Amino acid sequence: QVQLVESGGGLVQPGGSLRLSCAASGSIFSIYYMGWYRQAPGNERELVARVTSGGNTMYRDSAKGRFTISGDNAKNTVSLQMNSLKPEDTAIYYCTMRTYSGMEYWGKGTLVTVSS
């Protein structure tokens, strides 16, 4: 059984920074990518950023230049450094992992609130 556990969410003022971390445990084979999605109230879940096991990264446009994703293949972890946060970044952030065999796993989410 695979588990993803997120940490690092919280309340931050506009312009501030947060770092989210996610650790995967269990029977993990052939990770294709790990990443972060988010879901704000009333909105669909959307991709924030992801990183493949080969180190290729993908960001949503609004995250480019502000967020940095990094992964550690040996530790099965992924982090998201978020700078210059805006109120519209407020959401529940979910860690996800997809394997080459097509299996997909999700964490329970961590709340990020950007407010003064």
Side-chain angles (χ1 to χ4, degrees):
Q1 188 174 0
V2 175
Q3 271 193 319
L4 302 181
V5 179
E6 303 106 332
S7 61
L11 172 64
V12 64
Q13 292 186 343
S17 298
L18 278 177
R19 184 176 182 86
L20 305 182
S21 297
C22 173
S25 62
S27 301
I28 301 169
F29 302 98
S30 301
I31 296 175
Y32 172 30
Y33 67 75
M34 293 186 73
W36 294 91
Y37 279 69
R38 68 186 182 189
Q39 187 168 20
N43 290 358
E44 294 185 353
R45 192 173 295 190
E46 60 187 22
L47 173 70
V48 178
R50 72 184 197 193
V51 56
T52 69
S53 57
N56 293 317
T57 58
M58 178 186 292
Y59 296 90
R60 69 179 300 101
D61 286 346
S62 63
K64 292 177 182 177
R66 299 189 299 128
F67 295 2
T68 302
I69 191 168
S70 58
D72 187 326
N73 292 336
K75 296 181 179 179
N76 294 327
T77 59
V78 63
S79 296
L80 184 69
Q81 177 66 42
M82 303 187 293
N83 299 327
S84 302
L85 283 161
K86 305 175 181 180
E88 51 264 42
D89 294 316
T90 295
I92 299 174
Y93 283 69
Y94 297 91
C95 178
T96 186
M97 180 179 75
R98 188 175 181 90
T99 67
Y100 280 104
S101 64
M103 296 298 292
E104 196 169 61
Y105 303 94
W106 293 88
K108 294 182 178 180
T110 185
L111 177 63
V112 171
T113 303
V114 184
S115 175
S116 55

